[in-house]
Amino acid sequence: LNKELEERVSLEVQKVKQQQQLLVQKSKLEYIGELSAGLSHEVNQPLGGISMGLDNILMRMSEGTLNEKYIQDKFRILFKDIERINQIIQHVRIFSRDQQDSLKEDVDVISVINNALSLVKMQLKDHQIDLHLDFSGKGSTVIGNPYRLEQVFLNLLSNARYAVEEKGRKSGDANYEKKITIRCKRHNEFCEIFVKDNGTGISRNNIDRIFDPFFTTKDEDKGTGLGLSISYGIIKEYGGKIEVQSSEGEFTEFLIQLPLKK
Ligand SMILES: Nc1ncnc2c1ncn2[C@@H]1O[C@H](COP(=O)(O)OP(=O)(O)OP(=O)(O)O)[C@@H](O)[C@H]1O
Ligand SMILES: [Mg+2]
């Protein structure tokens, strides 16, 4: 009987593990969808730079005022733009790779945040969302998987963006200034990251449920309700914690605490 029970437990555990894996996969697909929207945005900027640079060179050529110094300077800028596009593509490619999931390594938290930001910065700007950064915790190293951690920040940023957009739409206040703040600092043996927005906030009724899988207040095509539950799992896995504070109609602030590498 004992053996039978043991087998059943291990079978159940395996099932849960598989389900979790499925959830992670599913949310990843959604992120890739969101990423690709951000991607075209991010690539467009350096692409515009390249196109303009080449135009400038052609113009000088036809005017007969092209000199070596000018070409050298322009080429330096062009290569920088190309490098930027390269980075973006490289980054997304690694991000969407599967086998990276189990990988754990030393992670520089600020780089992870900056990588996440590089994919959404332009979108925030386009939507007139002010982004404030306060990184006093420079050089904070934690142990984890950089891509999964990035997924956490992308979800927090996506939630924050949605919340400020929603408030902008609903409040009808012309003076409302959409704002997202990210802070990173060290506190004892922890790296603490705060992501705050002055969006819709979360109601008392909902706040205890936001980390539940499939809990969402968004339309079916806008959210699955998986973002925070996956994020919760990821942060727990690295020995950290994630908490929220919010006041409806005022703000929402997430705190992530991750143990610093010793
Ligand atoms: N910054 C925020 N401001 C206001 N509400 C929030 C914020 N972040 C999360 N929420 C609330 O928590 C719910 C769950 O968030 P979660 O990220 O898990 O799922 P989702 O954003 O709805 O969907 P998904 O992330 O799967 O696309 C949201 O639907 C929203 O009601
Ligand atoms: Mg979300």
Side-chain angles (χ1 to χ4, degrees), residues 155 159 163 197 201-202 210 215-218 223-228 252:
N155 180 56
N159 285 349
D197 67 74
I202 304 170
I210 58 167
F215 175 79
T216 182
T217 53
K218 299 172 188 169
T224 60
L226 284 175
L228 283 175
T252 301

Side-chain angles (χ1 to χ4, degrees), residues 31 34 154-156 158-160 162 216 218 222-228 231:
Y31 279 105
E34 190 155 322
L154 280 171
N155 180 56
L156 291 182
S158 147
N159 285 349
Y162 186 92
T216 182
K218 299 172 188 169
K222 297 250 172 62
T224 60
L226 284 175
L228 283 175
S231 301

Side-chain angles (χ1 to χ4, degrees), residues 33-95:
E34 190 155 322
L35 279 184
S36 53
L39 188 71
S40 53
H41 240 95
E42 298 301 325
V43 170
N44 264 334
Q45 195 191 27
L47 213 53
I50 292 173
S51 163
M52 204 158 75
L54 290 174
D55 262 353
N56 292 158
I57 292 175
L58 279 177
M59 182 105 89
R60 288 247 173 171
M61 229 162 144
S62 65
E63 285 172 351
T65 55
L66 192 65
N67 59 42
E68 201 166 312
K69 168 94 176 43
Y70 185 84
I71 294 189
Q72 261 171 4
D73 286 350
K74 275 289 166 197
F75 274 16
R76 205 167 299 127
I77 300 172
L78 289 176
F79 276 125
K80 236 169 134 182
D81 281 332
I82 290 172
E83 179 52 30
R84 174 81 192 116
I85 295 175
N86 231 337
Q87 265 177 4
I88 296 168
I89 288 173
Q90 194 77 336
H91 186 70
V92 173
R93 213 171 54 205
I94 300 172
F95 186 83

Side-chain angles (χ1 to χ4, degrees), residues 17 28 45 51 63 106-107 136 157 167 248 258 262:
K17 274 201 178 138
K28 214 149 113 185
Q45 195 191 27
S51 163
E63 285 172 351
D106 291 3
V107 180
S136 70
L157 283 167
K167 181 161 164 185
E248 200 173 2
L258 286 165
K262 291 206 181 74

